[in-house]
Every structure is written in structure tokens, then in C-alpha cells.
Amino acid sequence: MEVINAIGRRKSAVARVYLCEGTGKIIINKKELTEFFPSAILQYVVKQPLMLVEADGKYDIKANLDGGGFTGQSQALRLAIARALVKVNAEDKKVLKDAGFLTRDSRAVERKKPGQPKARRRFQFSKR
């Protein structure tokens, strides 16, 4: 099997994933998964698509993560892994889509507007 690549985005985080057959190692920015994401919750989020299609120990994953915070990065990585799994096996698409792992979460921070302290907050109104 050749190397399959996919991309995932969330907020301002971008994850590029390279998936190939192997023993289930996940390397992120040249670090192990447990080293890059010490939180068990974030490790679970990353492994969700693999566990759903029972491919937890079948593939080696190398990922480049850039931008955003750790939550956005983990969710971008989840999307990229799910997209790569669909490229490997098209029958997994329905299961992953029903679980919501193939949907790009487009919510991002709203920009700050001029004349306001934040995006929607306005300065206190004074009548006099």
C-alpha cells in the first residue's frame, strides 16, 4: 500500500496526515501521540475514527500540525485521519459520516470590529 495523505482543518489549525500500513504508531511533529497530546481526552479524540472502523493497530500515521491551540489541533487531526481512512476504504465513509467525523467544523473566531472593544461587545452607551 502506498502512502495516503489527507488534510484536516479546525479554527486556525491545519493537520496534514500521511497514512501507511503499519503497527498503529501515531507521530505528530516528530513526537509520539502521548508526548504531543498529554491529555487522555485529546488522545481519545484523535483515535476516534480509527476505533470506529476497527483500524486501531493497522496503520502508521505521520502528521504535521500547524496553528491553533491543542483542542483545534486534535479535532483537525481527527478530520484528516477520517478523510485518509475513506481514501483507503470507501465502505467506511457512511460509518464515519454518520458519526460526524467527515464534517468540517467551520466555526472560527469572529473578527474584532472597529469602534468596539470586541467582536460584538460595544462600549457602554452614555446618554449624557
Side-chain angles (χ1 to χ4, degrees):
M1 174 184 148
E2 75 283 353
V3 176
I4 287 164
N5 66 326
I7 195 164
R9 292 187 183 94
R10 171 75 173 98
K11 293 187 174 183
S12 61
V14 180
R16 286 184 296 280
V17 162
Y18 303 95
L19 185 124
C20 61
E21 280 185 16
T23 57
K25 284 176 99 176
I26 300 176
I27 308 291
I28 305 163
N29 292 353
K30 299 179 182 170
K31 292 181 182 176
E32 289 286 330
L33 174 68
T34 53
E35 194 182 339
F36 195 86
F37 291 123
S39 166
I41 295 165
L42 297 179
Q43 291 172 27
Y44 174 74
V45 166
V46 169
K47 289 183 178 180
Q48 273 180 315
L50 293 166
M51 288 187 284
L52 189 67
V53 298
E54 284 125 30
D56 208 2
K58 290 183 184 174
Y59 302 109
D60 282 347
I61 296 169
K62 276 188 182 166
N64 293 328
L65 274 172
D66 189 47
F70 47 84
T71 305
Q73 284 184 344
S74 66
Q75 291 171 7
L77 187 54
R78 178 176 69 182
L79 176 62
I81 290 170
R83 285 178 173 173
L85 288 171
V86 169
K87 284 184 182 179
V88 172
N89 188 2
E91 283 107 53
D92 294 336
K93 184 172 182 176
K94 180 163 178 24
V95 179
L96 289 166
K97 193 171 177 73
D98 289 345
F101 297 149
L102 291 176
T103 307
R104 201 282 201 204
D105 192 348
S106 61
R107 293 177 296 170
V109 178
E110 192 174 332
R111 77 177 195 89
K112 184 196 167 299
K113 315 303 186 301
Q116 295 175 203
K118 291 168 77 177
R120 296 193 177 201
R121 173 92 177 106
R122 291 188 165 77
F123 289 113
Q124 185 170 343
F125 176 73
S126 172
K127 197 173 232 177
R128 283 174 198 88

